[in-house]
Amino acid sequence: MSSSQEARFEFGQNWSEFSKKINETEVQQAVGGLKKLLPENFIPQGKTFLDIGSGSGLHSVAATKLGFSNITCTDYDDNSVATTKLNAEKFNTQDSITAFQDDILNSNLKETFDVVYSWGVLHHTGHMWDAIESAAGRVKKGGTFIIAIYTKTKFCGMWKVIKEIYCRAPKFIQKIMGYAYHFIRSFRQVLNGEIFKSYKNERGMNRFYDAVDWLGGYPYESASKEEIFAFMEKTFDLQKSFRTQPGFGLLGTGCAEYTFIKK
């Protein structure tokens, strides 16, 4: 990620707070979410796995549960790297996980991997397409590239401004904005009935930390499925995709998930 960006959300701090709540239930949910994104009949044993933007390290822990034994975790944020290491120890997977700080836009990674995984990260670098290209370059021929990118809506420009304002605001203003947005989003979920459903899901997040993660997520970019397909089609074949249709976008957008195989 470009160090020239003055306004940047502290993802590592949010992940550090959230990770205190992670238990085996969240790990198993993450296992299911990761398994869904892997190619059909994929055998993880003996395969290498790169997690770009590991955050809490939850999905790297999940990768060990699926059978990957050589997992590399990188993150731009030192707090995220520390949290990844703590969770690797917490779930006794530290022998399989190596975590360190790295900037995917100026990466020190030289090797290639069987699976490169980056969920909801590359659109926060400030140079999304360069970040996608750099991450894709770490995939072995015939390897798997899994990314999740914000779907583009007509309100993305508005949200980019809001997110920058949030990141530049004093901490007490950020707290007010965070709780206000959480309340508004929760009120909408009450109206459409979502609030009465369990929020436990394959990402392992909860409502509040998910809201803060969205509100503060700056730098911020998004892409349509057509833009992603056009960018990737020369060197990758699409295997799976999920959630590629954008919603209205007034209260935010979600991530579309893509699984590619390198030609």
Side-chain angles (χ1 to χ4, degrees), residues 127-174:
H127 299 278
M128 181 180 69
W129 298 112
D130 290 340
I132 293 174
E133 184 175 16
S134 178
R138 299 298 94 221
V139 184
K140 289 182 178 179
K141 185 176 182 180
T144 302
F145 186 37
I146 300 171
I147 56 174
I149 301 294
Y150 281 135
T151 52
K152 184 177 288 186
T153 76
K154 59 185 175 182
F155 290 101
C156 285
M158 177 192 78
W159 274 108
K160 187 172 183 178
V161 172
I162 293 173
K163 288 165 178 283
E164 182 173 6
I165 290 171
Y166 175 91
C167 289
R168 293 185 183 277
K171 293 294 184 183
F172 77 96
I173 296 295
Q174 290 183 350

Side-chain angles (χ1 to χ4, degrees), residues 23-69:
N23 56 35
E24 286 291 344
T25 299
E26 281 77 21
V27 171
Q28 289 307 311
Q29 289 161 354
V31 167
L34 179 55
K35 188 175 181 179
K36 178 195 78 173
L37 292 169
L38 289 169
E40 299 299 330
N41 303 314
F42 184 86
I43 300 174
Q45 286 73 17
K47 301 294 197 307
T48 55
F49 185 96
L50 172 63
D51 186 354
I52 299 174
S54 57
S56 66
L58 174 60
H59 285 78
S60 290
V61 171
T64 68
K65 304 297 184 182
L66 282 172
F68 290 96
S69 58

